[in-house]
Amino acid sequence: APRDAAGETVMIVDDEPTIRMLVTEIIHDLGYQAVEAGEGASALKMLQSDARIDLLITDVGLPGGMNGRQLADAARTHRPDLKVLFITG
C-alpha cells in the first residue's frame, strides 16, 4: 500500500463514529495525518480554513442537510484541486 512521504493530511467525514474510527486508523497506519468530522457543516468549516487537507474521504449520505457530494462541491470552491473519495456503508 502507498505510504505518505510528504506529511499529507486526509479528512474523513462520516456520521458513523465506528466507520470514522476504522478509516482514521487505516490512514494513520499508512503514515498519513487525519482529521475527522461527523457531518458536512463542521467539515466544510475546516475545509474553508487554511489547514492542509490533501484528500477528502466522505460518506455519500450525510445527515444535516448536506450530503457528501454537496460537501465536495462546496469544498472545491475554496480548494479546486481537492481530491475526493466517496464511500458509503
Side-chain angles (χ1 to χ4, degrees):
R3 297 209 171 263
D4 172 49
E8 294 177 320
T9 301
V10 178
M11 172 177 268
I12 299 105
V13 184
D14 199 298
D15 59 312
E16 293 290 331
T18 54
I19 304 265
R20 275 197 325 270
M21 184 177 66
L22 175 63
V23 174
T24 298
E25 184 177 319
I26 292 167
I27 293 301
H28 282 151
D29 287 350
L30 292 171
Y32 295 88
Q33 299 297 314
V35 293
E36 301 178 34
E39 42 81 31
S42 61
L44 186 57
K45 187 174 180 178
M46 283 189 269
L47 286 160
Q48 290 173 334
S49 75
D50 291 332
R52 179 174 181 168
I53 299 173
D54 301 287
L55 171 67
L56 169 63
I57 299 176
T58 182
D59 186 5
V60 175
L62 295 172
M66 182 184 299
N67 66 35
R69 179 64 189 183
Q70 292 166 323
L71 172 62
D73 289 343
R76 284 191 171 147
T77 63
H78 185 72
R79 299 171 184 257
D81 297 326
L82 180 66
K83 295 176 182 99
V84 179
L85 174 64
F86 294 103
I87 60 174
T88 188

